[in-house]
Amino acid sequence: MPTTKVLKLPTIRRLPTYLYKLLEMQKVGLSIVATPELARYMDIGEIVVRKDLAVTGVTGQPGVGYKVDELVAAIKSFLNWDNATEAVLAGTGSLGRALLGYEGFAEYGLRVIAAFDSDPDKIGTEVHGRQVFDISRLEELAPRLNVHIGIICVPAPYAQTVADAMVKGGIKAIWNFANVSLKVPADVVVQREVIAGGLAVLSVKMARRSRGEEETEE
Amino acid sequence: MPTTKVLKLPTIRRLPTYLYKLLEMQKVGLSIVATPELARYMDIGEIVVRKDLAVTGVTGQPGVGYKVDELVAAIKSFLNWDNATEAVLAGTGSLGRALLGYEGFAEYGLRVIAAFDSDPDKIGTEVHGRQVFDISRLEELAPRLNVHIGIICVPAPYAQTVADAMVKGGIKAIWNFANVSLKVPADVVVQREVIAGGLAVLSVKMARRSRGEEETEE
DNA sequence: GATCGTTCGATAAAAAAATACCGATTAACA
DNA sequence: TGTTAATCGGTATTTTTTTATCGAACGATC
């Protein structure tokens, strides 16, 4: 209870998916959920589900299951998604626009309140209701907007420059979609997202399958 | 050499990032790369890099490093990315459009040649040079296009229906961006992509950091 | 109220992945 | 030619993650 348990990255990665399912159940009015159902939905073992839910501190009832509301609250709290965090986004290319258009972030406690770009044609426009500012103003505006999360969607060569500006602007967490490692001070956390990683796994799985080999499940 | 070595998922996920870096080096004319440089770029240990590269079968030279060209070829071959595979995409919402606009796939051996949607306003239009067809024609057109990879970007409630159509259309691999588990025959592989997973990790890291705790690096 | 099937949760075992260690090979340079 | 620094690649170890096992709690049914 007092100290922090070891955090398990795979578990944390799975939590949003649980949350998504649980929110769906809430909408339909379901109040109880048992492990087998979640396991089917997640395509993982029942025991994994129990371990995952355990980290949130929620305790289920034997023979019954878990209370959906409790789980939702606990997961949100664990992820610090209970009160929306505001973020800025740099790079309004196709990926940046996609993220700006993704309504799901609302449920994930993330509100992207402004976008930045270097393209004069884009500066001053709006993307999905958010204004696009000149990227050179990022460092100046971030503190005024009081945001602490930055999302980088610029091409790889510009990512470090943008990251530097974010750090100077007081950003403490960077969600990096550019495929480069960013140098940041120790008190800033970075999460690099490599979408092609999934494609690689898919490719290898497919190749094996077509060769008729059996492989370990993901 | 004869039998298949155990495939390590984390390694496979990292391969595209190596590849990206190596292609960059090729462009600049570098022909040799050593582990420490890659390790810095990847933000992981040197030993991990060596183990990763080992699965491709490439052997480096002590005191020198690896040949960039060899690595590029070996990784592409390992991932079956050496001759482009064609794919279709379902759902031209913001995410679907972003994927259609991502040029990087060319380097990853993926060519999305057609898109599908159910919205009459989108059907018949073009998105980044690819035509958008009525999703009801997916099952009919997929075999004629001779594609075996399908990308699902439709809202979660429609994902299973789309997947069924893809399977009937001869698709053997599905890259699923909808947050649901898909039921498919055993000879079809599915890779589910949960973008919010990374955000969850970032959130937890940030929370820990602000509490002044030390955690294990990712 | 007794029995059965279901589910939770703790402990233990297995598998997977990351890390450490160390000898061998190479280039650079005195 | 000898020495030094850098690097690879194999084996061994540790850590992390998944999977298995089992007793106890609960609801439903008879």
PDB file of all heavy atoms in Angstrom, chain C residues 13-25:
ATOM      1  P    DA C  13       7.498 -24.490  -7.373  1.00  0.00           P
ATOM      2  OP1  DA C  13       7.582 -25.904  -6.980  1.00  0.00           O
ATOM      3  OP2  DA C  13       8.515 -23.517  -6.913  1.00  0.00           O
ATOM      4  O5'  DA C  13       7.436 -24.433  -8.956  1.00  0.00           O
ATOM      5  C5'  DA C  13       6.431 -25.187  -9.636  1.00  0.00           C
ATOM      6  C4'  DA C  13       6.318 -24.681 -11.061  1.00  0.00           C
ATOM      7  O4'  DA C  13       5.983 -23.273 -11.045  1.00  0.00           O
ATOM      8  C3'  DA C  13       7.586 -24.811 -11.901  1.00  0.00           C
ATOM      9  O3'  DA C  13       7.313 -25.677 -12.985  1.00  0.00           O
ATOM     10  C2'  DA C  13       7.900 -23.377 -12.358  1.00  0.00           C
ATOM     11  C1'  DA C  13       6.582 -22.667 -12.176  1.00  0.00           C
ATOM     12  N9   DA C  13       6.669 -21.236 -11.883  1.00  0.00           N
ATOM     13  C8   DA C  13       7.194 -20.634 -10.768  1.00  0.00           C
ATOM     14  N7   DA C  13       7.113 -19.332 -10.777  1.00  0.00           N
ATOM     15  C5   DA C  13       6.497 -19.052 -11.985  1.00  0.00           C
ATOM     16  C6   DA C  13       6.124 -17.839 -12.601  1.00  0.00           C
ATOM     17  N6   DA C  13       6.325 -16.645 -12.047  1.00  0.00           N
ATOM     18  N1   DA C  13       5.524 -17.909 -13.808  1.00  0.00           N
ATOM     19  C2   DA C  13       5.316 -19.114 -14.359  1.00  0.00           C
ATOM     20  N3   DA C  13       5.625 -20.316 -13.876  1.00  0.00           N
ATOM     21  C4   DA C  13       6.217 -20.214 -12.675  1.00  0.00           C
ATOM     22  P    DA C  14       8.466 -26.113 -13.979  1.00  0.00           P
ATOM     23  OP1  DA C  14       8.146 -27.477 -14.429  1.00  0.00           O
ATOM     24  OP2  DA C  14       9.764 -25.811 -13.354  1.00  0.00           O
ATOM     25  O5'  DA C  14       8.266 -25.141 -15.214  1.00  0.00           O
ATOM     26  C5'  DA C  14       7.014 -25.109 -15.897  1.00  0.00           C
ATOM     27  C4'  DA C  14       6.989 -23.938 -16.856  1.00  0.00           C
ATOM     28  O4'  DA C  14       7.114 -22.718 -16.112  1.00  0.00           O
ATOM     29  C3'  DA C  14       8.118 -23.933 -17.887  1.00  0.00           C
ATOM     30  O3'  DA C  14       7.519 -23.997 -19.161  1.00  0.00           O
ATOM     31  C2'  DA C  14       8.854 -22.604 -17.663  1.00  0.00           C
ATOM     32  C1'  DA C  14       7.834 -21.789 -16.899  1.00  0.00           C
ATOM     33  N9   DA C  14       8.386 -20.800 -15.968  1.00  0.00           N
ATOM     34  C8   DA C  14       9.173 -21.017 -14.880  1.00  0.00           C
ATOM     35  N7   DA C  14       9.479 -19.926 -14.220  1.00  0.00           N
ATOM     36  C5   DA C  14       8.853 -18.932 -14.935  1.00  0.00           C
ATOM     37  C6   DA C  14       8.788 -17.535 -14.762  1.00  0.00           C
ATOM     38  N6   DA C  14       9.404 -16.896 -13.759  1.00  0.00           N
ATOM     39  N1   DA C  14       8.083 -16.817 -15.651  1.00  0.00           N
ATOM     40  C2   DA C  14       7.466 -17.460 -16.659  1.00  0.00           C
ATOM     41  N3   DA C  14       7.446 -18.768 -16.927  1.00  0.00           N
ATOM     42  C4   DA C  14       8.169 -19.439 -16.019  1.00  0.00           C
ATOM     43  P    DA C  15       8.404 -24.227 -20.455  1.00  0.00           P
ATOM     44  OP1  DA C  15       7.627 -25.100 -21.353  1.00  0.00           O
ATOM     45  OP2  DA C  15       9.789 -24.584 -20.061  1.00  0.00           O
ATOM     46  O5'  DA C  15       8.447 -22.766 -21.094  1.00  0.00           O
ATOM     47  C5'  DA C  15       7.230 -22.079 -21.315  1.00  0.00           C
ATOM     48  C4'  DA C  15       7.508 -20.618 -21.567  1.00  0.00           C
ATOM     49  O4'  DA C  15       8.030 -20.000 -20.381  1.00  0.00           O
ATOM     50  C3'  DA C  15       8.532 -20.347 -22.669  1.00  0.00           C
ATOM     51  O3'  DA C  15       7.891 -19.562 -23.647  1.00  0.00           O
ATOM     52  C2'  DA C  15       9.678 -19.601 -21.964  1.00  0.00           C
ATOM     53  C1'  DA C  15       8.973 -19.020 -20.753  1.00  0.00           C
ATOM     54  N9   DA C  15       9.820 -18.786 -19.583  1.00  0.00           N
ATOM     55  C8   DA C  15      10.581 -19.694 -18.913  1.00  0.00           C
ATOM     56  N7   DA C  15      11.210 -19.178 -17.872  1.00  0.00           N
ATOM     57  C5   DA C  15      10.829 -17.850 -17.879  1.00  0.00           C
ATOM     58  C6   DA C  15      11.150 -16.765 -17.039  1.00  0.00           C
ATOM     59  N6   DA C  15      11.954 -16.863 -15.991  1.00  0.00           N
ATOM     60  N1   DA C  15      10.593 -15.571 -17.330  1.00  0.00           N
ATOM     61  C2   DA C  15       9.774 -15.470 -18.388  1.00  0.00           C
ATOM     62  N3   DA C  15       9.399 -16.413 -19.241  1.00  0.00           N
ATOM     63  C4   DA C  15       9.972 -17.589 -18.929  1.00  0.00           C
ATOM     64  P    DA C  16       8.665 -19.196 -25.010  1.00  0.00           P
ATOM     65  OP1  DA C  16       7.646 -19.201 -26.082  1.00  0.00           O
ATOM     66  OP2  DA C  16       9.889 -20.009 -25.114  1.00  0.00           O
ATOM     67  O5'  DA C  16       9.093 -17.687 -24.750  1.00  0.00           O
ATOM     68  C5'  DA C  16       8.110 -16.743 -24.365  1.00  0.00           C
ATOM     69  C4'  DA C  16       8.773 -15.461 -23.945  1.00  0.00           C
ATOM     70  O4'  DA C  16       9.518 -15.656 -22.725  1.00  0.00           O
ATOM     71  C3'  DA C  16       9.767 -14.897 -24.962  1.00  0.00           C
ATOM     72  O3'  DA C  16       9.357 -13.579 -25.262  1.00  0.00           O
ATOM     73  C2'  DA C  16      11.123 -14.931 -24.241  1.00  0.00           C
ATOM     74  C1'  DA C  16      10.710 -14.897 -22.783  1.00  0.00           C
ATOM     75  N9   DA C  16      11.621 -15.532 -21.839  1.00  0.00           N
ATOM     76  C8   DA C  16      12.106 -16.809 -21.858  1.00  0.00           C
ATOM     77  N7   DA C  16      12.892 -17.085 -20.844  1.00  0.00           N
ATOM     78  C5   DA C  16      12.912 -15.917 -20.113  1.00  0.00           C
ATOM     79  C6   DA C  16      13.560 -15.548 -18.924  1.00  0.00           C
ATOM     80  N6   DA C  16      14.338 -16.391 -18.232  1.00  0.00           N
ATOM     81  N1   DA C  16      13.365 -14.290 -18.459  1.00  0.00           N
ATOM     82  C2   DA C  16      12.574 -13.468 -19.156  1.00  0.00           C
ATOM     83  N3   DA C  16      11.913 -13.689 -20.282  1.00  0.00           N
ATOM     84  C4   DA C  16      12.130 -14.941 -20.712  1.00  0.00           C
ATOM     85  P    DA C  17      10.048 -12.803 -26.476  1.00  0.00           P
ATOM     86  OP1  DA C  17       9.028 -11.942 -27.090  1.00  0.00           O
ATOM     87  OP2  DA C  17      10.815 -13.754 -27.300  1.00  0.00           O
ATOM     88  O5'  DA C  17      11.072 -11.892 -25.679  1.00  0.00           O
ATOM     89  C5'  DA C  17      10.559 -10.987 -24.708  1.00  0.00           C
ATOM     90  C4'  DA C  17      11.689 -10.392 -23.906  1.00  0.00           C
ATOM     91  O4'  DA C  17      12.324 -11.411 -23.110  1.00  0.00           O
ATOM     92  C3'  DA C  17      12.804  -9.758 -24.735  1.00  0.00           C
ATOM     93  O3'  DA C  17      12.732  -8.358 -24.544  1.00  0.00           O
ATOM     94  C2'  DA C  17      14.108 -10.367 -24.183  1.00  0.00           C
ATOM     95  C1'  DA C  17      13.654 -11.031 -22.895  1.00  0.00           C
ATOM     96  N9   DA C  17      14.372 -12.256 -22.535  1.00  0.00           N
ATOM     97  C8   DA C  17      14.462 -13.411 -23.262  1.00  0.00           C
ATOM     98  N7   DA C  17      15.149 -14.356 -22.662  1.00  0.00           N
ATOM     99  C5   DA C  17      15.529 -13.786 -21.465  1.00  0.00           C
ATOM    100  C6   DA C  17      16.285 -14.265 -20.376  1.00  0.00           C
ATOM    101  N6   DA C  17      16.790 -15.492 -20.332  1.00  0.00           N
ATOM    102  N1   DA C  17      16.481 -13.425 -19.337  1.00  0.00           N
ATOM    103  C2   DA C  17      15.953 -12.184 -19.387  1.00  0.00           C
ATOM    104  N3   DA C  17      15.232 -11.630 -20.357  1.00  0.00           N
ATOM    105  C4   DA C  17      15.054 -12.482 -21.369  1.00  0.00           C
ATOM    106  P    DA C  18      13.840  -7.373 -25.148  1.00  0.00           P
ATOM    107  OP1  DA C  18      13.169  -6.084 -25.369  1.00  0.00           O
ATOM    108  OP2  DA C  18      14.544  -8.068 -26.231  1.00  0.00           O
ATOM    109  O5'  DA C  18      14.849  -7.194 -23.928  1.00  0.00           O
ATOM    110  C5'  DA C  18      14.358  -6.658 -22.714  1.00  0.00           C
ATOM    111  C4'  DA C  18      15.424  -6.751 -21.635  1.00  0.00           C
ATOM    112  O4'  DA C  18      15.846  -8.119 -21.488  1.00  0.00           O
ATOM    113  C3'  DA C  18      16.688  -5.932 -21.929  1.00  0.00           C
ATOM    114  O3'  DA C  18      16.965  -5.143 -20.796  1.00  0.00           O
ATOM    115  C2'  DA C  18      17.759  -7.000 -22.164  1.00  0.00           C
ATOM    116  C1'  DA C  18      17.251  -8.153 -21.337  1.00  0.00           C
ATOM    117  N9   DA C  18      17.661  -9.480 -21.796  1.00  0.00           N
ATOM    118  C8   DA C  18      17.425 -10.051 -23.012  1.00  0.00           C
ATOM    119  N7   DA C  18      17.897 -11.263 -23.136  1.00  0.00           N
ATOM    120  C5   DA C  18      18.486 -11.509 -21.910  1.00  0.00           C
ATOM    121  C6   DA C  18      19.178 -12.621 -21.398  1.00  0.00           C
ATOM    122  N6   DA C  18      19.378 -13.748 -22.096  1.00  0.00           N
ATOM    123  N1   DA C  18      19.649 -12.528 -20.136  1.00  0.00           N
ATOM    124  C2   DA C  18      19.435 -11.401 -19.434  1.00  0.00           C
ATOM    125  N3   DA C  18      18.805 -10.300 -19.813  1.00  0.00           N
ATOM    126  C4   DA C  18      18.356 -10.420 -21.071  1.00  0.00           C
ATOM    127  P    DT C  19      18.156  -4.085 -20.828  1.00  0.00           P
ATOM    128  OP1  DT C  19      17.814  -2.981 -19.901  1.00  0.00           O
ATOM    129  OP2  DT C  19      18.466  -3.819 -22.237  1.00  0.00           O
ATOM    130  O5'  DT C  19      19.360  -4.887 -20.194  1.00  0.00           O
ATOM    131  C5'  DT C  19      19.283  -5.272 -18.832  1.00  0.00           C
ATOM    132  C4'  DT C  19      20.454  -6.159 -18.483  1.00  0.00           C
ATOM    133  O4'  DT C  19      20.439  -7.361 -19.287  1.00  0.00           O
ATOM    134  C3'  DT C  19      21.831  -5.536 -18.726  1.00  0.00           C
ATOM    135  O3'  DT C  19      22.399  -5.288 -17.454  1.00  0.00           O
ATOM    136  C2'  DT C  19      22.609  -6.597 -19.526  1.00  0.00           C
ATOM    137  C1'  DT C  19      21.748  -7.844 -19.333  1.00  0.00           C
ATOM    138  N1   DT C  19      21.815  -8.851 -20.414  1.00  0.00           N
ATOM    139  C2   DT C  19      22.370 -10.072 -20.130  1.00  0.00           C
ATOM    140  O2   DT C  19      22.829 -10.364 -19.036  1.00  0.00           O
ATOM    141  N3   DT C  19      22.376 -10.957 -21.193  1.00  0.00           N
ATOM    142  C4   DT C  19      21.885 -10.744 -22.458  1.00  0.00           C
ATOM    143  O4   DT C  19      21.943 -11.609 -23.321  1.00  0.00           O
ATOM    144  C5   DT C  19      21.309  -9.435 -22.680  1.00  0.00           C
ATOM    145  C7   DT C  19      20.746  -9.096 -24.024  1.00  0.00           C
ATOM    146  C6   DT C  19      21.309  -8.568 -21.660  1.00  0.00           C
ATOM    147  P    DA C  20      23.849  -4.620 -17.369  1.00  0.00           P
ATOM    148  OP1  DA C  20      23.912  -3.851 -16.117  1.00  0.00           O
ATOM    149  OP2  DA C  20      24.150  -3.981 -18.656  1.00  0.00           O
ATOM    150  O5'  DA C  20      24.800  -5.891 -17.209  1.00  0.00           O
ATOM    151  C5'  DA C  20      24.560  -6.787 -16.139  1.00  0.00           C
ATOM    152  C4'  DA C  20      25.517  -7.955 -16.229  1.00  0.00           C
ATOM    153  O4'  DA C  20      25.196  -8.742 -17.402  1.00  0.00           O
ATOM    154  C3'  DA C  20      26.988  -7.563 -16.365  1.00  0.00           C
ATOM    155  O3'  DA C  20      27.717  -8.222 -15.345  1.00  0.00           O
ATOM    156  C2'  DA C  20      27.381  -8.037 -17.768  1.00  0.00           C
ATOM    157  C1'  DA C  20      26.403  -9.186 -17.999  1.00  0.00           C
ATOM    158  N9   DA C  20      26.107  -9.472 -19.390  1.00  0.00           N
ATOM    159  C8   DA C  20      25.557  -8.643 -20.320  1.00  0.00           C
ATOM    160  N7   DA C  20      25.391  -9.191 -21.498  1.00  0.00           N
ATOM    161  C5   DA C  20      25.875 -10.473 -21.340  1.00  0.00           C
ATOM    162  C6   DA C  20      25.986 -11.560 -22.219  1.00  0.00           C
ATOM    163  N6   DA C  20      25.601 -11.517 -23.499  1.00  0.00           N
ATOM    164  N1   DA C  20      26.520 -12.710 -21.741  1.00  0.00           N
ATOM    165  C2   DA C  20      26.910 -12.748 -20.465  1.00  0.00           C
ATOM    166  N3   DA C  20      26.850 -11.790 -19.535  1.00  0.00           N
ATOM    167  C4   DA C  20      26.317 -10.666 -20.044  1.00  0.00           C
ATOM    168  P    DC C  21      29.242  -7.841 -15.105  1.00  0.00           P
ATOM    169  OP1  DC C  21      29.492  -8.028 -13.666  1.00  0.00           O
ATOM    170  OP2  DC C  21      29.545  -6.541 -15.753  1.00  0.00           O
ATOM    171  O5'  DC C  21      30.037  -8.979 -15.894  1.00  0.00           O
ATOM    172  C5'  DC C  21      29.697 -10.346 -15.629  1.00  0.00           C
ATOM    173  C4'  DC C  21      30.389 -11.247 -16.633  1.00  0.00           C
ATOM    174  O4'  DC C  21      29.730 -11.155 -17.916  1.00  0.00           O
ATOM    175  C3'  DC C  21      31.871 -10.905 -16.898  1.00  0.00           C
ATOM    176  O3'  DC C  21      32.658 -12.016 -16.507  1.00  0.00           O
ATOM    177  C2'  DC C  21      31.938 -10.651 -18.407  1.00  0.00           C
ATOM    178  C1'  DC C  21      30.698 -11.368 -18.920  1.00  0.00           C
ATOM    179  N1   DC C  21      30.140 -10.825 -20.191  1.00  0.00           N
ATOM    180  C2   DC C  21      29.986 -11.682 -21.283  1.00  0.00           C
ATOM    181  O2   DC C  21      30.320 -12.867 -21.162  1.00  0.00           O
ATOM    182  N3   DC C  21      29.484 -11.188 -22.445  1.00  0.00           N
ATOM    183  C4   DC C  21      29.132  -9.905 -22.526  1.00  0.00           C
ATOM    184  N4   DC C  21      28.638  -9.479 -23.686  1.00  0.00           N
ATOM    185  C5   DC C  21      29.271  -9.014 -21.425  1.00  0.00           C
ATOM    186  C6   DC C  21      29.782  -9.507 -20.286  1.00  0.00           C
ATOM    187  P    DC C  22      34.233 -11.831 -16.389  1.00  0.00           P
ATOM    188  OP1  DC C  22      34.674 -12.743 -15.327  1.00  0.00           O
ATOM    189  OP2  DC C  22      34.570 -10.393 -16.342  1.00  0.00           O
ATOM    190  O5'  DC C  22      34.759 -12.405 -17.787  1.00  0.00           O
ATOM    191  C5'  DC C  22      34.281 -13.664 -18.248  1.00  0.00           C
ATOM    192  C4'  DC C  22      34.783 -13.918 -19.648  1.00  0.00           C
ATOM    193  O4'  DC C  22      33.903 -13.254 -20.595  1.00  0.00           O
ATOM    194  C3'  DC C  22      36.186 -13.370 -19.923  1.00  0.00           C
ATOM    195  O3'  DC C  22      36.946 -14.337 -20.622  1.00  0.00           O
ATOM    196  C2'  DC C  22      35.930 -12.146 -20.795  1.00  0.00           C
ATOM    197  C1'  DC C  22      34.703 -12.621 -21.569  1.00  0.00           C
ATOM    198  N1   DC C  22      33.925 -11.521 -22.184  1.00  0.00           N
ATOM    199  C2   DC C  22      33.348 -11.735 -23.444  1.00  0.00           C
ATOM    200  O2   DC C  22      33.482 -12.832 -23.990  1.00  0.00           O
ATOM    201  N3   DC C  22      32.640 -10.724 -24.016  1.00  0.00           N
ATOM    202  C4   DC C  22      32.521  -9.552 -23.391  1.00  0.00           C
ATOM    203  N4   DC C  22      31.827  -8.599 -23.992  1.00  0.00           N
ATOM    204  C5   DC C  22      33.104  -9.328 -22.113  1.00  0.00           C
ATOM    205  C6   DC C  22      33.796 -10.322 -21.553  1.00  0.00           C
ATOM    206  P    DG C  23      38.528 -14.278 -20.518  1.00  0.00           P
ATOM    207  OP1  DG C  23      38.906 -15.121 -19.390  1.00  0.00           O
ATOM    208  OP2  DG C  23      38.969 -12.868 -20.598  1.00  0.00           O
ATOM    209  O5'  DG C  23      38.966 -15.006 -21.868  1.00  0.00           O
ATOM    210  C5'  DG C  23      38.290 -16.192 -22.300  1.00  0.00           C
ATOM    211  C4'  DG C  23      38.056 -16.133 -23.797  1.00  0.00           C
ATOM    212  O4'  DG C  23      37.163 -15.028 -24.096  1.00  0.00           O
ATOM    213  C3'  DG C  23      39.328 -15.886 -24.623  1.00  0.00           C
ATOM    214  O3'  DG C  23      39.345 -16.774 -25.728  1.00  0.00           O
ATOM    215  C2'  DG C  23      39.205 -14.432 -25.062  1.00  0.00           C
ATOM    216  C1'  DG C  23      37.697 -14.276 -25.171  1.00  0.00           C
ATOM    217  N9   DG C  23      37.219 -12.895 -25.026  1.00  0.00           N
ATOM    218  C8   DG C  23      37.476 -12.031 -23.977  1.00  0.00           C
ATOM    219  N7   DG C  23      36.906 -10.859 -24.122  1.00  0.00           N
ATOM    220  C5   DG C  23      36.242 -10.954 -25.341  1.00  0.00           C
ATOM    221  C6   DG C  23      35.448  -9.998 -26.022  1.00  0.00           C
ATOM    222  O6   DG C  23      35.171  -8.847 -25.686  1.00  0.00           O
ATOM    223  N1   DG C  23      34.963 -10.512 -27.231  1.00  0.00           N
ATOM    224  C2   DG C  23      35.207 -11.772 -27.701  1.00  0.00           C
ATOM    225  N2   DG C  23      34.661 -12.087 -28.882  1.00  0.00           N
ATOM    226  N3   DG C  23      35.937 -12.673 -27.072  1.00  0.00           N
ATOM    227  C4   DG C  23      36.421 -12.202 -25.903  1.00  0.00           C
ATOM    228  P    DA C  24      40.565 -16.820 -26.698  1.00  0.00           P
ATOM    229  OP1  DA C  24      40.791 -18.240 -27.037  1.00  0.00           O
ATOM    230  OP2  DA C  24      41.650 -15.998 -26.120  1.00  0.00           O
ATOM    231  O5'  DA C  24      40.024 -16.078 -27.989  1.00  0.00           O
ATOM    232  C5'  DA C  24      38.866 -16.578 -28.645  1.00  0.00           C
ATOM    233  C4'  DA C  24      38.552 -15.721 -29.850  1.00  0.00           C
ATOM    234  O4'  DA C  24      38.048 -14.441 -29.403  1.00  0.00           O
ATOM    235  C3'  DA C  24      39.774 -15.414 -30.728  1.00  0.00           C
ATOM    236  O3'  DA C  24      39.408 -15.523 -32.085  1.00  0.00           O
ATOM    237  C2'  DA C  24      40.127 -13.988 -30.362  1.00  0.00           C
ATOM    238  C1'  DA C  24      38.762 -13.396 -30.022  1.00  0.00           C
ATOM    239  N9   DA C  24      38.812 -12.275 -29.070  1.00  0.00           N
ATOM    240  C8   DA C  24      39.478 -12.226 -27.872  1.00  0.00           C
ATOM    241  N7   DA C  24      39.329 -11.080 -27.236  1.00  0.00           N
ATOM    242  C5   DA C  24      38.522 -10.336 -28.079  1.00  0.00           C
ATOM    243  C6   DA C  24      38.009  -9.029 -27.987  1.00  0.00           C
ATOM    244  N6   DA C  24      38.236  -8.227 -26.948  1.00  0.00           N
ATOM    245  N1   DA C  24      37.235  -8.588 -29.001  1.00  0.00           N
ATOM    246  C2   DA C  24      37.011  -9.401 -30.036  1.00  0.00           C
ATOM    247  N3   DA C  24      37.444 -10.648 -30.233  1.00  0.00           N
ATOM    248  C4   DA C  24      38.200 -11.061 -29.208  1.00  0.00           C
ATOM    249  P    DT C  25      40.486 -15.360 -33.217  1.00  0.00           P
ATOM    250  OP1  DT C  25      40.213 -16.407 -34.209  1.00  0.00           O
ATOM    251  OP2  DT C  25      41.799 -15.223 -32.574  1.00  0.00           O
ATOM    252  O5'  DT C  25      40.115 -13.962 -33.882  1.00  0.00           O
ATOM    253  C5'  DT C  25      38.845 -13.783 -34.494  1.00  0.00           C
ATOM    254  C4'  DT C  25      38.690 -12.338 -34.907  1.00  0.00           C
ATOM    255  O4'  DT C  25      38.702 -11.500 -33.725  1.00  0.00           O
ATOM    256  C3'  DT C  25      39.795 -11.810 -35.818  1.00  0.00           C
ATOM    257  O3'  DT C  25      39.197 -11.275 -36.986  1.00  0.00           O
ATOM    258  C2'  DT C  25      40.499 -10.744 -34.989  1.00  0.00           C
ATOM    259  C1'  DT C  25      39.390 -10.314 -34.033  1.00  0.00           C
ATOM    260  N1   DT C  25      39.850  -9.721 -32.740  1.00  0.00           N
ATOM    261  C2   DT C  25      39.457  -8.445 -32.428  1.00  0.00           C
ATOM    262  O2   DT C  25      38.756  -7.770 -33.150  1.00  0.00           O
ATOM    263  N3   DT C  25      39.905  -7.982 -31.217  1.00  0.00           N
ATOM    264  C4   DT C  25      40.707  -8.655 -30.314  1.00  0.00           C
ATOM    265  O4   DT C  25      41.052  -8.139 -29.263  1.00  0.00           O
ATOM    266  C5   DT C  25      41.096  -9.984 -30.708  1.00  0.00           C
ATOM    267  C7   DT C  25      41.953 -10.817 -29.811  1.00  0.00           C
ATOM    268  C6   DT C  25      40.647 -10.456 -31.892  1.00  0.00           C
TER     269       DT C  25
END
